[in-house]
Amino acid sequence: MTEHLQKKGKQVRIWNDGFLRKDLQSLVPLNKNVEVCYWTNWDKGMAEVKEWLTKGYTLINFCDNDLYYVLGEEAGYSYPTAEKLEREGKIQKFSGQQYLNQEEMKAVRGTYFSIWADNAAAKSVSEILDDLSKVLPEFMKIYGGNDE
């Protein structure tokens, strides 16, 4: 499927938790041209971020510890704050307090701040925008990008 989509000009991305597991063996090898959205390592069977690099994959950092805004604070998440990002946010930090060095960071295409509507009624659009107006400037300061 990956090869088919890439022939159509699409960049294929996957979430890390379903692949390259320590406790399961893949029946089909994962194409090296996918970009791995590394969001979590809550389960001991999940490969650590450095294992993905060792296998030659490109990563995108979706660190659920710091960069997940989950409506209703479901699944144990709490709303990120500018103060928490200032204190704990690091561009080389991945889920589970995993850190990459400068050389390893060359295989990272970027970092995402994610908003999940687990409980869509938890906040109004205005409340969400107000929260984000406080958090996103700190995100941009740490993780880069332009002001446009």
PDB file of all heavy atoms in Angstrom, residues 91-108:
ATOM      1  N   ILE A  91      13.078  20.441  22.275  1.00  0.00           N
ATOM      2  CA  ILE A  91      12.918  19.993  20.893  1.00  0.00           C
ATOM      3  C   ILE A  91      13.386  18.555  20.705  1.00  0.00           C
ATOM      4  O   ILE A  91      12.854  17.815  19.891  1.00  0.00           O
ATOM      5  CB  ILE A  91      13.610  20.964  19.908  1.00  0.00           C
ATOM      6  CG1 ILE A  91      13.103  20.701  18.494  1.00  0.00           C
ATOM      7  CG2 ILE A  91      15.124  20.882  20.024  1.00  0.00           C
ATOM      8  CD1 ILE A  91      13.412  21.793  17.510  1.00  0.00           C
ATOM      9  N   GLN A  92      14.356  18.114  21.469  1.00  0.00           N
ATOM     10  CA  GLN A  92      14.878  16.757  21.310  1.00  0.00           C
ATOM     11  C   GLN A  92      14.206  15.736  22.228  1.00  0.00           C
ATOM     12  O   GLN A  92      14.605  14.586  22.275  1.00  0.00           O
ATOM     13  CB  GLN A  92      16.394  16.740  21.499  1.00  0.00           C
ATOM     14  CG  GLN A  92      16.885  17.107  22.889  1.00  0.00           C
ATOM     15  CD  GLN A  92      17.047  18.591  23.123  1.00  0.00           C
ATOM     16  OE1 GLN A  92      16.110  19.358  22.980  1.00  0.00           O
ATOM     17  NE2 GLN A  92      18.224  19.027  23.505  1.00  0.00           N
ATOM     18  N   LYS A  93      13.143  16.128  22.917  1.00  0.00           N
ATOM     19  CA  LYS A  93      12.436  15.258  23.854  1.00  0.00           C
ATOM     20  C   LYS A  93      11.268  14.552  23.155  1.00  0.00           C
ATOM     21  O   LYS A  93      10.444  15.187  22.513  1.00  0.00           O
ATOM     22  CB  LYS A  93      11.903  16.075  25.026  1.00  0.00           C
ATOM     23  CG  LYS A  93      11.133  15.281  26.044  1.00  0.00           C
ATOM     24  CD  LYS A  93      10.600  16.211  27.133  1.00  0.00           C
ATOM     25  CE  LYS A  93       9.707  15.506  28.110  1.00  0.00           C
ATOM     26  NZ  LYS A  93       9.110  16.463  29.046  1.00  0.00           N
ATOM     27  N   PHE A  94      11.214  13.240  23.335  1.00  0.00           N
ATOM     28  CA  PHE A  94      10.125  12.425  22.817  1.00  0.00           C
ATOM     29  C   PHE A  94       9.371  11.799  23.985  1.00  0.00           C
ATOM     30  O   PHE A  94       9.822  11.849  25.127  1.00  0.00           O
ATOM     31  CB  PHE A  94      10.673  11.333  21.893  1.00  0.00           C
ATOM     32  CG  PHE A  94      11.064  11.837  20.531  1.00  0.00           C
ATOM     33  CD1 PHE A  94      12.195  12.624  20.363  1.00  0.00           C
ATOM     34  CD2 PHE A  94      10.291  11.548  19.430  1.00  0.00           C
ATOM     35  CE1 PHE A  94      12.547  13.101  19.113  1.00  0.00           C
ATOM     36  CE2 PHE A  94      10.626  12.023  18.173  1.00  0.00           C
ATOM     37  CZ  PHE A  94      11.758  12.799  18.015  1.00  0.00           C
ATOM     38  N   SER A  95       8.250  11.198  23.694  1.00  0.00           N
ATOM     39  CA  SER A  95       7.401  10.586  24.715  1.00  0.00           C
ATOM     40  C   SER A  95       8.204   9.682  25.653  1.00  0.00           C
ATOM     41  O   SER A  95       9.113   8.972  25.214  1.00  0.00           O
ATOM     42  CB  SER A  95       6.297   9.766  24.043  1.00  0.00           C
ATOM     43  OG  SER A  95       5.472   9.165  25.003  1.00  0.00           O
ATOM     44  N   GLY A  96       7.852   9.729  26.922  1.00  0.00           N
ATOM     45  CA  GLY A  96       8.502   8.865  27.906  1.00  0.00           C
ATOM     46  C   GLY A  96       9.882   9.326  28.315  1.00  0.00           C
ATOM     47  O   GLY A  96      10.719   8.511  28.700  1.00  0.00           O
ATOM     48  N   GLN A  97      10.136  10.627  28.223  1.00  0.00           N
ATOM     49  CA  GLN A  97      11.433  11.191  28.606  1.00  0.00           C
ATOM     50  C   GLN A  97      12.589  10.610  27.787  1.00  0.00           C
ATOM     51  O   GLN A  97      13.695  10.419  28.285  1.00  0.00           O
ATOM     52  CB  GLN A  97      11.704  10.968  30.108  1.00  0.00           C
ATOM     53  CG  GLN A  97      10.656  11.534  31.038  1.00  0.00           C
ATOM     54  CD  GLN A  97      10.580  13.057  30.969  1.00  0.00           C
ATOM     55  OE1 GLN A  97      11.586  13.730  30.804  1.00  0.00           O
ATOM     56  NE2 GLN A  97       9.386  13.584  31.095  1.00  0.00           N
ATOM     57  N   GLN A  98      12.337  10.338  26.519  1.00  0.00           N
ATOM     58  CA  GLN A  98      13.386   9.884  25.609  1.00  0.00           C
ATOM     59  C   GLN A  98      13.968  11.112  24.903  1.00  0.00           C
ATOM     60  O   GLN A  98      13.221  11.949  24.418  1.00  0.00           O
ATOM     61  CB  GLN A  98      12.819   8.925  24.558  1.00  0.00           C
ATOM     62  CG  GLN A  98      12.199   7.669  25.144  1.00  0.00           C
ATOM     63  CD  GLN A  98      11.647   6.817  24.043  1.00  0.00           C
ATOM     64  OE1 GLN A  98      12.379   6.084  23.381  1.00  0.00           O
ATOM     65  NE2 GLN A  98      10.345   6.926  23.815  1.00  0.00           N
ATOM     66  N   TYR A  99      15.284  11.182  24.857  1.00  0.00           N
ATOM     67  CA  TYR A  99      15.956  12.331  24.248  1.00  0.00           C
ATOM     68  C   TYR A  99      16.881  11.877  23.125  1.00  0.00           C
ATOM     69  O   TYR A  99      17.535  10.845  23.235  1.00  0.00           O
ATOM     70  CB  TYR A  99      16.778  13.096  25.295  1.00  0.00           C
ATOM     71  CG  TYR A  99      15.936  13.841  26.288  1.00  0.00           C
ATOM     72  CD1 TYR A  99      15.435  13.205  27.417  1.00  0.00           C
ATOM     73  CD2 TYR A  99      15.621  15.178  26.077  1.00  0.00           C
ATOM     74  CE1 TYR A  99      14.640  13.895  28.329  1.00  0.00           C
ATOM     75  CE2 TYR A  99      14.837  15.873  26.977  1.00  0.00           C
ATOM     76  CZ  TYR A  99      14.348  15.219  28.099  1.00  0.00           C
ATOM     77  OH  TYR A  99      13.562  15.899  29.001  1.00  0.00           O
ATOM     78  N   LEU A 100      16.925  12.674  22.074  1.00  0.00           N
ATOM     79  CA  LEU A 100      17.858  12.434  20.975  1.00  0.00           C
ATOM     80  C   LEU A 100      18.965  13.473  21.016  1.00  0.00           C
ATOM     81  O   LEU A 100      18.745  14.603  21.459  1.00  0.00           O
ATOM     82  CB  LEU A 100      17.132  12.530  19.631  1.00  0.00           C
ATOM     83  CG  LEU A 100      16.000  11.539  19.383  1.00  0.00           C
ATOM     84  CD1 LEU A 100      15.432  11.741  17.981  1.00  0.00           C
ATOM     85  CD2 LEU A 100      16.454  10.113  19.584  1.00  0.00           C
ATOM     86  N   ASN A 101      20.140  13.087  20.533  1.00  0.00           N
ATOM     87  CA  ASN A 101      21.230  14.058  20.446  1.00  0.00           C
ATOM     88  C   ASN A 101      21.121  14.808  19.117  1.00  0.00           C
ATOM     89  O   ASN A 101      20.260  14.518  18.292  1.00  0.00           O
ATOM     90  CB  ASN A 101      22.592  13.371  20.630  1.00  0.00           C
ATOM     91  CG  ASN A 101      22.906  12.374  19.525  1.00  0.00           C
ATOM     92  OD1 ASN A 101      22.591  12.586  18.349  1.00  0.00           O
ATOM     93  ND2 ASN A 101      23.529  11.262  19.897  1.00  0.00           N
ATOM     94  N   GLN A 102      22.016  15.754  18.907  1.00  0.00           N
ATOM     95  CA  GLN A 102      21.956  16.602  17.706  1.00  0.00           C
ATOM     96  C   GLN A 102      22.056  15.798  16.417  1.00  0.00           C
ATOM     97  O   GLN A 102      21.345  16.069  15.449  1.00  0.00           O
ATOM     98  CB  GLN A 102      23.061  17.658  17.741  1.00  0.00           C
ATOM     99  CG  GLN A 102      22.533  19.034  18.010  1.00  0.00           C
ATOM    100  CD  GLN A 102      23.654  20.062  17.927  1.00  0.00           C
ATOM    101  OE1 GLN A 102      24.773  19.830  18.328  1.00  0.00           O
ATOM    102  NE2 GLN A 102      23.317  21.228  17.398  1.00  0.00           N
ATOM    103  N   GLU A 103      22.937  14.825  16.400  1.00  0.00           N
ATOM    104  CA  GLU A 103      23.097  13.994  15.204  1.00  0.00           C
ATOM    105  C   GLU A 103      21.822  13.200  14.931  1.00  0.00           C
ATOM    106  O   GLU A 103      21.358  13.122  13.789  1.00  0.00           O
ATOM    107  CB  GLU A 103      24.300  13.047  15.371  1.00  0.00           C
ATOM    108  CG  GLU A 103      24.625  12.235  14.138  1.00  0.00           C
ATOM    109  CD  GLU A 103      25.028  13.084  12.938  1.00  0.00           C
ATOM    110  OE1 GLU A 103      25.592  14.175  13.093  1.00  0.00           O
ATOM    111  OE2 GLU A 103      24.757  12.624  11.808  1.00  0.00           O
ATOM    112  N   GLU A 104      21.242  12.625  15.951  1.00  0.00           N
ATOM    113  CA  GLU A 104      20.005  11.849  15.796  1.00  0.00           C
ATOM    114  C   GLU A 104      18.841  12.732  15.349  1.00  0.00           C
ATOM    115  O   GLU A 104      17.971  12.291  14.600  1.00  0.00           O
ATOM    116  CB  GLU A 104      19.660  11.142  17.110  1.00  0.00           C
ATOM    117  CG  GLU A 104      20.654  10.072  17.495  1.00  0.00           C
ATOM    118  CD  GLU A 104      20.550   9.627  18.937  1.00  0.00           C
ATOM    119  OE1 GLU A 104      20.134  10.433  19.807  1.00  0.00           O
ATOM    120  OE2 GLU A 104      20.897   8.461  19.217  1.00  0.00           O
ATOM    121  N   MET A 105      18.842  13.978  15.785  1.00  0.00           N
ATOM    122  CA  MET A 105      17.762  14.903  15.425  1.00  0.00           C
ATOM    123  C   MET A 105      17.712  15.195  13.918  1.00  0.00           C
ATOM    124  O   MET A 105      16.699  15.658  13.413  1.00  0.00           O
ATOM    125  CB  MET A 105      17.886  16.211  16.206  1.00  0.00           C
ATOM    126  CG  MET A 105      17.478  16.109  17.668  1.00  0.00           C
ATOM    127  SD  MET A 105      15.738  15.691  17.910  1.00  0.00           S
ATOM    128  CE  MET A 105      14.935  17.172  17.285  1.00  0.00           C
ATOM    129  N   LYS A 106      18.770  14.875  13.194  1.00  0.00           N
ATOM    130  CA  LYS A 106      18.774  15.085  11.743  1.00  0.00           C
ATOM    131  C   LYS A 106      17.730  14.209  11.048  1.00  0.00           C
ATOM    132  O   LYS A 106      17.321  14.507   9.929  1.00  0.00           O
ATOM    133  CB  LYS A 106      20.161  14.823  11.171  1.00  0.00           C
ATOM    134  CG  LYS A 106      21.182  15.868  11.597  1.00  0.00           C
ATOM    135  CD  LYS A 106      22.551  15.563  11.063  1.00  0.00           C
ATOM    136  CE  LYS A 106      23.553  16.610  11.531  1.00  0.00           C
ATOM    137  NZ  LYS A 106      24.922  16.296  11.112  1.00  0.00           N
ATOM    138  N   ALA A 107      17.302  13.129  11.704  1.00  0.00           N
ATOM    139  CA  ALA A 107      16.290  12.230  11.134  1.00  0.00           C
ATOM    140  C   ALA A 107      14.873  12.617  11.563  1.00  0.00           C
ATOM    141  O   ALA A 107      13.930  11.884  11.304  1.00  0.00           O
ATOM    142  CB  ALA A 107      16.585  10.788  11.529  1.00  0.00           C
ATOM    143  N   VAL A 108      14.740  13.768  12.221  1.00  0.00           N
ATOM    144  CA  VAL A 108      13.430  14.242  12.682  1.00  0.00           C
ATOM    145  C   VAL A 108      12.975  15.363  11.759  1.00  0.00           C
ATOM    146  O   VAL A 108      13.650  16.378  11.620  1.00  0.00           O
ATOM    147  CB  VAL A 108      13.495  14.726  14.151  1.00  0.00           C
ATOM    148  CG1 VAL A 108      12.143  15.254  14.598  1.00  0.00           C
ATOM    149  CG2 VAL A 108      13.965  13.595  15.054  1.00  0.00           C
TER     150      VAL A 108
END
